[in-house]
């Protein structure tokens, strides 16, 4: 994926992902799949928001997280949107040639 022109802050990635073919995953009955990307909106506690991806090891950003909500104070999480690219492969099937 060409990442030129990527947003500066995590909370800005939603439209950028949609422009590259990702879709919004409905929250009802949500079950994480490898490759899912969650974007947390910014708020007073987290002015840059947060972005993370679900891997075969769990949720990860610049650290491995203990769950989908990355914040120590869980109640400070802003609104979130989950994005998924069509045809996302499980990590075990991705090779350097893909």
């Amino acid at each position: 994926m060409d990442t030129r022109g990527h947003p500066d802050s995590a909370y800005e990635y939603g439209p950028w992902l949609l422009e590259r073919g990702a879709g919004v995953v409905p929250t009802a009955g949500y079950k994480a799949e490898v490759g899912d990307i969650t974007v947390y909106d910014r708020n007073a506690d987290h002015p840059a928001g947060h972005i993370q991806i679900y891997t075969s090891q769990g949720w990860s950003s610049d650290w491995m997280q203990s769950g989908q909500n990355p914040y120590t104070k869980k109640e400070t999480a802003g609104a979130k949107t989950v994005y998924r690219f069509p045809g996302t492969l499980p990590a075990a099937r991705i090779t350097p040639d893909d």
Side-chain angles (χ1 to χ4, degrees):
M1 174 185 293
D2 184 351
T3 60
R4 285 179 287 187
H6 67 82
D8 292 327
S9 293
Y11 76 90
E12 299 174 305
Y13 268 83
W16 190 85
L17 292 167
L18 292 171
E19 289 170 4
R20 282 151 183 79
V24 174
V25 180
T27 56
Y30 174 71
K31 182 175 181 201
E33 293 184 14
V34 171
D36 284 359
I37 300 167
T38 301
V39 176
Y40 281 87
D41 287 343
R42 66 180 173 171
N43 61 31
D45 292 304
H46 308 287
H50 184 75
I51 188 169
Q52 60 198 29
I53 189 165
Y54 190 74
T55 72
S56 61
Q57 303 298 309
W59 288 103
S60 179
S61 55
D62 49 344
W63 74 92
M64 288 303 297
Q65 298 162 190
S66 60
Q68 188 178 21
N69 186 331
Y71 301 115
T72 303
K73 294 181 180 179
K74 304 297 185 197
E75 68 278 3
T76 66
K80 68 179 182 285
T81 305
V82 178
Y83 299 88
R84 183 177 294 156
F85 285 93
T88 302
L89 298 173
R93 294 178 52 198
I94 296 175
T95 66
D97 294 331
D98 286 338

